[in-house]
Amino acid sequence: MMKKYHINRRRFLKTGATLGAVSLLPAPVVLAQSPVKVAGIHSSPVENAWNSRLHVAMLEAAKRGEIDYVFSEGIAGTDYSRAMREYAEQGVEVIVGEAYAVEREARQVAGDYPDTTFLMGSSGKPHGDNFATFGTWNHEAAYLCGMLAGKMSKSGIFGSVGAIPIPEVNMLIHGFRQGVNAVRPDAKHLINFIGTFFDPPKAREAGLAQIDSGADILFGERIGTADAAKERGIKAIGSLTDYSARYPETVFSNAIWNFGAILAAALADRKAGKSNGQEYTRFGLMKEGGNDISYVKSMVPADAIEPMEKVRAAIKAGEFEVKIDFSEPT
């Protein structure tokens, strides 16, 4: 059964305490803009790292009064197209979700609802005027995390735990590996995929196996990896969201992905009457504010920070490019 939640502006302001203080926009600004009706369809729980980034960006947009937001979580692939149709029938203007497991079906639904914008995480291409796609590009931040990790490892062995070897996941792990190799050319990399997007116990087990094989730093593309690092007393790197507070003695850096830049671009195009049949992945680049590194300075060697920050500045300025590699890492 589809779990559905409605967060319109009135209800959001009443329940927004968990997200921090709410500041109201001046009345003329609010009245001048009509909130866009947006629905999020999440195949995993919204606490899953990837889904949380979409969810938080849409909650923040709702908080600003830009959208009315509803969402459903835990939607299986067999029910996904039905959920898309239900929201479209309800008059939702923009549907945000993930087409990875339902690429063909999702485009068929979009074809039946030309007035609805479908903004979907996808390994495929846009379709028509209303099916937009985006990928998860935080490989630049992963590269920077790798630069820090390369200076911190004693064994020279680095573990990476990923979900499924789709292009975006592959690119992220390659980005981390490139960053490590830039400062530690003799590094050895252990890579495992858990075969699903949300299974923290399985990710933990994969991490433990890598530690048993000598890894003393883990890159956790999946939730659960840091649990293994914490259990064995080694360091770990988070991905997509910031895990430092959750693992204060374990996670020293995170490859953050900000979906808000992608969402803003798609909403702007819709409001301007432009076609939404576009690829919005480029707004995930660091120069667009779409990804960045966060790190705990006290946990990182001082001599590792300055070189990393120089590369970070060069990426933002467009003077350094992290190579994109979609092939399955081994």
Side-chain angles (χ1 to χ4, degrees):
M1 180 179 295
M2 179 167 64
K3 292 176 65 179
K4 187 180 299 182
Y5 304 82
H6 182 68
I7 303 180
N8 60 26
R9 182 163 175 76
R10 179 178 298 174
R11 180 176 174 188
F12 184 83
L13 294 179
K14 288 181 179 179
T15 60
T18 58
L19 300 171
V22 176
S23 18
L24 295 172
L25 293 172
V29 176
V30 174
L31 293 175
Q33 297 179 350
S34 177
V36 179
K37 295 180 180 179
V38 177
I41 306 178
H42 305 279
S43 62
S44 298
V46 292
E47 65 262 31
N48 181 41
W50 188 87
N51 299 89
S52 76
R53 302 311 294 159
L54 274 64
H55 187 57
V56 166
M58 289 185 280
L59 287 176
E60 291 175 345
K63 179 179 176 179
R64 295 190 298 269
E66 297 169 0
I67 68 173
D68 280 339
Y69 175 45
V70 297
F71 72 97
S72 301
E73 60 181 342
I75 306 301
T78 52
D79 293 325
Y80 207 90
S81 60
R82 177 180 61 81
M84 293 171 66
R85 290 183 183 279
E86 283 189 11
Y87 279 128
E89 291 287 347
Q90 292 169 20
V92 169
E93 298 169 87
V94 178
I95 295 175
V96 178
E98 49 202 287
Y100 298 109
V102 290
E103 295 283 4
R104 179 181 298 177
E105 297 92 329
R107 286 166 175 76
Q108 290 175 342
V109 173
D112 292 338
Y113 298 94
D115 294 330
T116 303
T117 294
F118 295 84
L119 178 60
M120 310 295 284
S122 171
S123 296
K125 300 294 183 182
H127 181 75
D129 291 326
N130 67 326
F131 189 90
T133 57
F134 65 88
T136 310
W137 280 18
N138 58 329
H139 61 296
E140 296 166 318
Y143 182 97
L144 299 178
C145 290
M147 289 187 68
L148 296 182
K151 292 283 190 177
M152 296 174 64
S153 173
K154 294 181 179 179
S155 70
I157 302 176
F158 304 81
S160 294
V161 177
I164 298 169
I166 60 173
E168 289 81 6
V169 174
N170 296 342
M171 175 180 65
L172 182 62
I173 293 175
H174 278 300
F176 170 70
R177 182 159 64 179
Q178 290 171 38
V180 170
N181 292 347
V183 299
R184 190 74 178 263
D186 62 338
K188 179 180 179 181
H189 297 271
L190 306 175
I191 299 166
N192 290 96
F193 295 96
I194 63 174
T196 180
F197 288 109
F198 189 75
D199 193 335
K202 198 168 184 179
R204 171 184 165 275
E205 289 298 323
L208 289 174
Q210 292 177 345
I211 296 170
D212 289 340
S213 296
D216 62 357
I217 291 182
L218 299 183
F219 177 66
E221 194 274 325
R222 288 295 104 184
I223 288 179
T225 309
D227 291 305
K230 179 181 178 180
E231 185 175 325
R232 296 292 181 84
I234 69 167
K235 303 303 181 186
I237 297 164
S239 179
L240 299 176
T241 191
D242 195 329
Y243 290 97
S244 300
R246 183 173 175 179
Y247 302 94
E249 303 298 325
T250 302
V251 174
F252 65 90
S253 68
N254 302 272
I256 305 293
W257 179 57
N258 297 314
F259 177 68
I262 292 173
L263 177 65
L267 290 176
D269 283 345
R270 181 177 175 91
K271 288 181 179 180
K274 297 180 181 179
S275 169
N276 275 127
Q278 299 185 40
E279 168 65 68
Y280 287 97
T281 302
R282 66 188 183 280
F283 292 99
L285 291 172
M286 194 175 293
K287 65 181 181 181
E288 302 288 350
N291 81 100
D292 206 348
I293 185 176
S294 70
Y295 62 96
V296 182
K297 192 172 183 179
S298 61
M299 296 176 67
V300 179
D303 64 348
I305 294 177
E306 185 177 355
M308 182 278 293
E309 286 289 1
K310 286 183 178 179
V311 175
R312 183 187 192 187
I315 293 173
K316 289 184 177 182
E319 299 169 355
F320 183 90
E321 184 176 348
V322 177
K323 179 183 177 182
I324 293 175
D325 188 345
F326 288 135
S327 66
E328 182 174 346
T330 56

